[in-house]
Amino acid sequence: MNISKELETALNEQIGIEFSASQSYLSMAAYFERKAFDGFAQWMHLQSSEEHQHAMKFYQYLNDRGGVARLPAIEAPRWEYGSVREVFEASLEQEHSVTENIYRLYKLAQDESDFATVSFLKWFVDEQVEEEKSVSDMIDKLKMAEGNPDSLLFLDRYAMERKSEEPA
Ligand code: FEO
């Protein structure tokens, strides 16, 4: 059974959202590289790569279900920030927005009784919980390190230890 036109449109939008998130994280990585925060830069590079993989999962699923991939335009991401914490706060805001979109997609798939798409989207629902938690935890740590350059450099090294996650 091919995907409905409405879900096809929504999945294409999601491909754009994931590629846009990937670009945005790459821009955050570039900001950290300019500031010589190698660990935070590495964190954002990994995040950018994961978002690219998310986009490709949606792209592949759309093709597998007989949908037409019509990739949307992507707006240029923000490239300047005032502090490390501001970058991670922007990241959390972005993840909240992605989660809302995933929930909207999930609801649409449920309303259409498209159980294959519901099943496909479950991985993303769980992934968003993990992504929001890891960014939120980092913001908490950054708040504790406020005004203490040694602690900030320690967190930069800690961020370097983040491992890549292959999507299932
Ligand atoms: Fe693919 Fe971070 O959402």
Side-chain angles (χ1 to χ4, degrees):
M1 186 171 82
N2 281 4
I3 206 152
S4 73
K5 283 291 157 203
E6 200 177 346
L7 262 176
E8 179 187 276
T9 300
L11 287 170
N12 269 301
E13 280 168 12
Q14 192 62 34
I15 293 172
I17 288 166
E18 301 288 351
F19 275 131
S20 167
S22 177
Q23 281 237 43
S24 171
Y25 282 124
L26 190 58
S27 190
M28 290 176 187
Y31 166 79
F32 285 135
E33 284 181 44
R34 291 198 297 280
K35 302 287 177 188
F37 283 123
D38 297 341
F40 294 133
Q42 153 89 351
W43 171 297
M44 291 302 169
H45 273 294
L46 280 179
Q47 193 60 41
S48 174
S49 159
E50 285 184 14
E51 300 302 349
H52 186 274
Q53 290 167 359
H54 295 173
M56 293 309 292
K57 271 173 84 89
F58 277 105
Y59 165 87
Q60 195 55 56
Y61 180 75
L62 187 58
N63 282 328
D64 290 348
R65 289 294 308 281
V68 178
R70 287 171 282 110
L71 306 184
I74 296 173
E75 267 184 47
R78 179 177 169 185
W79 54 274
E80 197 54 280
Y81 294 89
S83 66
V84 174
R85 184 171 150 191
E86 201 178 296
V87 179
F88 278 90
E89 281 172 345
S91 162
L92 187 59
E93 202 177 307
Q94 181 168 284
E95 291 306 330
H96 284 162
S97 163
V98 171
T99 301
E100 276 175 23
N101 279 295
I102 297 282
Y103 285 6
R104 261 198 292 274
L105 263 176
Y106 196 97
K107 178 79 172 52
L108 180 60
Q110 272 186 330
D111 290 349
E112 290 191 10
S113 299
D114 186 332
F115 301 116
T117 302
V118 169
S119 173
F120 168 76
L121 289 170
K122 276 198 174 116
W123 184 88
F124 287 94
V125 170
D126 296 341
E127 174 72 1
Q128 284 309 115
V129 173
E130 272 183 39
E131 293 207 341
E132 286 188 19
K133 179 178 168 20
S134 68
V135 181
S136 191
D137 285 354
M138 180 60 90
I139 292 171
D140 287 345
K141 289 179 174 66
L142 287 166
K143 283 179 186 165
M144 285 188 262
E146 212 118 82
N148 185 337
D150 285 350
S151 298
L152 193 58
L153 288 172
F154 174 82
L155 283 179
D156 184 48
R157 279 198 301 278
Y158 165 82
M160 182 72 90
E161 288 165 21
R162 178 177 169 177
K163 299 279 180 287
S164 172
E165 272 175 38
E166 288 294 316

